[in-house]
Amino acid sequence: AALVVLGDFGHSPRMQYHALSLASHHYEVDVVAYNESDAREEVEQHDRIHVHPIRPFPVVLPRALFLLYAPFKALFLLVQLLWVLLFAIPAPSCYIVQNPPSI
């Protein structure tokens, strides 16, 4: 199973519980997420849960320029997601996606 979290996995207790639940039902869980803070210890120590971090957009510009850099930010995320989901992890039996209301 692939858990895709378009936010910080450490600050997403719901997705951590999903990962633990799937792992407890003998699924191999590949988590694709920003990894900016630590997840729960039982998530980090579980043999069936594998975290594949994605990097945040490397450029921080003033909010007034958001419309100019938003397409590049979205493209940066898309390329990372495609790489990890198509090449870096085995083909999952299911996908669970959490998308915050932002880019």
Side-chain angles (χ1 to χ4, degrees):
L3 256 63
V4 181
V5 182
L6 301 179
D8 182 17
F9 184 58
H11 283 121
S12 185
R14 179 179 298 132
M15 295 307 276
Q16 291 180 50
Y17 287 127
H18 287 319
L20 284 169
S21 178
L22 287 165
S24 72
H25 286 89
H26 306 290
Y27 282 91
E28 290 293 325
V29 181
D30 290 296
V31 177
V32 181
Y34 295 112
N35 198 16
E36 297 172 337
S37 61
D38 293 335
R40 299 170 51 102
E41 186 174 338
E42 60 262 54
V43 172
E44 290 186 353
Q45 301 298 323
H46 204 290
D47 291 340
R48 294 183 185 268
I49 300 175
H50 316 282
V51 177
H52 305 272
I54 53 177
R55 296 181 316 180
F57 191 62
V59 179
V60 178
L61 296 173
R63 188 164 176 85
L65 298 175
F66 178 75
L67 290 177
L68 294 175
Y69 73 84
F72 297 105
K73 183 177 180 182
L75 182 63
F76 182 76
L77 177 60
L78 175 67
V79 168
Q80 288 186 87
L81 288 175
L82 287 175
W83 177 259
V84 173
L85 295 174
L86 294 176
F87 302 110
I89 65 173
S93 57
C94 66
Y95 291 90
I96 299 176
V97 180
Q98 180 186 45
N99 182 28
S102 64
I103 293 181

